[in-house]
Amino acid sequence: MKNYTKKQFLKDITAGIIVAIIALPLSIALAIASGVSPEKGLHTAIIAGFLISMLGGSRVQIGGPTGAFMVIVYSIVVRFGIDGLIIATFLAGIIMILMGVLKLGSIIKFIPYPITTGFTSGIAVVIFSSQIKDFFGLKSGEVPAEFIDKWKVYFQSFNTISIQTTIIGIVALMIIILWPRINRKIPGALIALIVTSILVKLLNLEVATIGTKFGQLSSALPAIQFPNISMEQVSLLIAPAFTIAILGSIESLLSAVVSDGMIGGKHRSNMELVAQGIANMGSALFGGIPATGAIARTVANIKNGGRTPVAGMVHAVTLLLIMVIFMPLAKMIPLTSLAAVLIVVAYNMSEWREFKELFKSPKSDITVLLVTFFITILIDLVKAIEIGMVLAALLFMKRMADVSNVNVMKMDASEEDDEAACSYEEESKKVQTPEGVQIYEINGPFFFGAADKFLEAAGELGHKTKILIIRMRNVPSMDATALHAFKRMIHTCKHKKILILISGINQQPLNVLKKADVYDIIGEQYFFNRIEEAVQFAVDYY
């Protein structure tokens, strides 16, 4: 803020007002689709949006409710009610703060791309399917939360379709799609809601509105209420809370990275997580829903000149003024128009181009993508992330085990001064290995996935072997299972009276061996920096 100018202040105010206009219909639509009253979406955008901008690690981040949370929020409301949602959101806030304090902001980048694409595309399909009833005005009663059961109900009740509702929904959809060709500053969603609300009122159409579903809407912020949290509730809601925290962290940090590229800045990921956590706790205290950084609104902020947190705070204050002044008019908004807004949101979230592109990836990545996608749709988002992460980890370990190997070198052992030398034929110094000397070279991470290969190689040591040289220059790391395998190798060699020499060991594996006293068992004099030294020792030993 040292170089903050009046010109930039005016740009921030303009950007904040425009983003507030964009956030207005989205906040209402996402709240209704999440199973809560429309004003809760605005409460979230106001409280969480202000706190994220004021405290966050990104200068231009715009926070609020997003489509990514709709699925998990709806499932929590169905299973645990509004009180359960408030507790889960509060717990998620605590988790995000802890993640930031423990400097785990960079860990989010280790979530594989196929998982994020899979659950994001799955969420988009679920959002789309949840809007069919309101878009067509189906008289189907309560719609099941499960994807297949939901579509069964839709097909069974499709004869109850309302022509008037469908026409209004199509009009809203066409306005949202075509309006950007006329004006990109004012969002098409807002124009669609205004036009269709006027049409329904003037033509006295029998179309369900927010007012017919929710009655009178409050135009004031609710009083702060601290959730009454018990250990039993924590045990029930900790899994959904973690899902909210992970989702919020991923989306907010992704949004921050996108904004960095647009403004040439650099966000502070850990501070961003702390701010997101405080914002979600604040939202819960006011009865709101989960919030995170919204990529589309953040991009709109930047494109309209927003460059400091002031723009995000102006966005929140503007939403508060709109709610106080115009909230009673929101009851006129047709539900089919809000469904049209969310259908467009679902399309934009679907990432179908990225989804299609991933089919050119290795089969393991395609498997993770499809498993995460279908579990998100058919079971729930929590299970999708859990199973997706476990599957991705297992496939990664298999891939690492495949590239890790133990080679038996049956040639002249040698090495140039340049460690990058890649073939023995090209090396200038050659030392003939005498009979009875065996050289094993371990390549790649030495972990539990590769330990069996090492033990198999150890089992092949013949009775003629007197000295075993283990070359470890290409081993960056070593874990407990590999250490156990190493100890078994030492035991086998002692039993067969084979002397072990170690060549070119890196610092991390060396530290592991020292900590486990294996270094002392082998003997300091049997560790060598280069393979020639080890082979020469073997020659002299004979």
Side-chain angles (χ1 to χ4, degrees):
M1 302 294 288
K2 288 179 181 178
N3 301 317
Y4 197 55
T5 62
K6 181 181 177 182
K7 183 179 178 182
Q8 185 56 57
F9 177 63
L10 293 174
K11 284 184 177 180
D12 285 339
I13 289 177
T14 304
I17 292 171
I18 292 172
V19 173
I21 293 170
I22 294 171
L24 177 66
L26 289 173
S27 300
I28 293 172
L30 289 168
I32 293 173
S34 299
V36 299
S37 58
E39 62 263 35
K40 290 189 182 298
L42 287 177
H43 297 162
T44 304
I46 293 165
I47 302 299
F50 188 89
L51 291 172
I52 287 170
S53 293
M54 184 175 72
L55 304 173
S58 170
R59 288 184 290 154
V60 292
Q61 184 86 283
I62 301 295
T66 67
F69 285 131
M70 197 206 87
V71 178
I72 185 67
V73 170
Y74 184 80
S75 66
I76 293 172
V77 171
V78 169
R79 291 178 60 194
F80 305 105
I82 298 295
D83 290 342
L85 173 63
I86 290 171
I87 293 171
T89 305
F90 194 84
L91 291 175
I94 294 173
I95 293 167
M96 294 172 85
I97 291 173
L98 290 174
M99 289 171 67
V101 170
L102 296 173
K103 301 187 185 302
L104 300 180
S106 60
I107 285 185
I108 300 299
K109 68 185 178 185
F110 293 112
I111 296 178
Y113 181 61
I115 290 180
T116 57
T117 302
F119 75 65
T120 302
S121 299
I123 289 170
V125 172
V126 174
I127 290 175
F128 171 77
S129 67
S130 68
Q131 300 310 304
I132 300 300
K133 177 188 173 184
D134 286 341
F135 188 81
F136 292 104
L138 301 179
K139 296 176 177 61
S140 57
E142 195 67 31
V143 178
E146 291 75 19
F147 183 80
I148 293 175
D149 293 340
K150 186 179 292 181
W151 279 97
K152 283 181 182 178
V153 170
Y154 289 157
F155 286 122
Q156 290 167 1
S157 57
F158 221 78
N159 59 333
T160 65
I161 187 172
S162 168
I163 301 299
Q164 291 183 358
T165 300
T166 304
I167 291 172
I168 292 295
I170 292 171
V171 169
L173 196 59
M174 295 309 296
I175 291 173
I176 295 169
I177 294 170
L178 299 175
W179 180 258
R181 298 182 183 181
I182 300 170
N183 188 307
R184 288 189 173 273
K185 292 283 186 182
I186 303 173
L190 181 65
I191 301 300
L193 296 188
I194 293 171
V195 170
T196 53
S197 297
I198 292 171
L199 284 175
V200 170
K201 185 69 174 176
L202 291 179
L203 300 177
N204 198 26
L205 300 177
E206 292 186 10
V207 175
T209 63
I210 290 178
T212 60
K213 183 172 182 178
F214 295 99
Q216 286 297 119
L217 302 176
S218 171
S219 59
L221 283 174
I224 294 178
Q225 287 189 327
F226 287 90
N228 186 17
I229 304 175
S230 66
M231 287 308 299
E232 183 181 359
Q233 290 171 315
V234 170
S235 62
L236 289 172
L237 294 164
I238 194 66
F242 263 107
T243 303
I244 292 171
I246 295 296
L247 268 179
S249 301
I250 292 171
E251 191 159 0
S252 64
L253 295 180
L254 179 60
S255 176
V257 169
V258 170
S259 65
D260 283 348
M262 294 180 71
I263 66 172
K266 184 172 178 59
H267 73 280
R268 294 171 294 152
S269 58
N270 295 315
M271 189 59 226
E272 183 64 26
L273 290 183
V274 171
Q276 295 287 339
I278 293 171
N280 276 279
M281 291 175 71
S283 177
L285 293 177
F286 283 91
I289 61 179
T292 185
I295 297 175
R297 277 161 267 174
T298 299
V299 170
N301 178 38
I302 295 168
K303 287 183 176 180
N304 286 284
R307 289 295 182 276
T308 75
V310 172
M313 291 187 279
V314 169
H315 138 268
V317 173
T318 304
L319 280 175
L320 175 61
L321 294 174
I322 291 173
M323 185 182 74
V324 171
I325 298 169
F326 297 108
M327 196 61 184
L329 298 176
K331 65 181 181 181
M332 297 169 57
I333 298 173
L335 294 179
T336 184
S337 301
L338 292 173
V341 170
L342 289 181
I343 287 171
V344 174
V345 168
Y347 176 79
N348 292 333
M349 273 188 71
S350 65
E351 298 185 346
W352 64 270
R353 292 179 183 85
E354 291 83 353
F355 195 96
K356 180 181 174 184
E357 198 66 25
L358 272 169
F359 278 90
K360 298 176 183 177
S361 304
K363 289 182 180 178
S364 58
D365 291 329
I366 297 172
T367 301
V368 172
L369 172 72
L370 293 177
V371 166
T372 308
F373 175 73
F374 284 112
I375 292 178
T376 300
I377 294 172
L378 300 175
I379 304 176
D380 67 44
L381 186 59
V382 177
K383 291 286 186 293
I385 294 176
E386 289 173 352
I387 295 173
M389 286 297 292
V390 170
L391 182 60
L394 290 173
L395 291 172
F396 172 76
M397 288 185 285
K398 182 185 182 301
R399 202 176 297 169
M400 286 296 98
D402 289 343
V403 300
S404 299
N405 56 68
V406 180
N407 295 325
V408 179
M409 295 166 55
K410 296 180 180 179
M411 58 191 74
D412 292 348
S414 57
E415 186 174 314
E416 283 187 346
D417 291 337
D418 181 7
E419 285 287 337
C422 58
S423 68
Y424 293 104
E425 288 73 23
E426 295 173 355
E427 294 170 349
S428 58
K429 297 181 181 178
K430 291 191 177 288
V431 181
Q432 186 72 31
T433 53
E435 186 180 352
V437 176
Q438 188 77 274
I439 302 176
Y440 283 0
E441 181 170 26
I442 307 172
N443 292 299
F446 193 17
F447 71 121
F448 58 88
D452 280 346
K453 294 180 182 179
F454 184 72
L455 290 174
E456 285 174 14
E460 295 173 3
L461 290 171
H463 65 278
K464 292 184 178 180
T465 303
K466 301 300 179 186
I467 296 178
L468 173 64
I469 301 174
I470 302 174
R471 194 181 197 189
M472 299 180 68
R473 64 172 182 168
N474 294 323
V475 179
S477 60
M478 183 177 185
D479 74 355
T481 307
L483 176 64
H484 178 67
F486 214 89
K487 289 179 177 178
R488 288 177 61 182
M489 165 74 89
I490 293 172
H491 179 76
T492 300
C493 288
K494 280 193 173 182
H495 179 71
K496 294 183 178 181
K497 295 183 170 54
I498 298 172
L499 179 66
I500 295 176
L501 308 180
I502 307 295
S503 162
I505 189 168
N506 291 307
Q507 193 60 47
Q508 194 274 349
L510 181 62
N511 291 339
V512 170
L513 295 185
K514 284 183 176 180
K515 194 172 182 180
D517 297 326
V518 174
Y519 182 83
D520 294 329
I521 292 171
I522 295 174
E524 182 181 357
Q525 67 273 27
Y526 299 127
F527 282 79
F528 302 90
N529 292 326
R530 306 181 69 79
I531 189 70
E532 298 107 332
E533 296 171 2
V535 174
Q536 189 60 54
F537 180 90
V539 172
D540 296 341
Y541 190 83
Y542 272 100

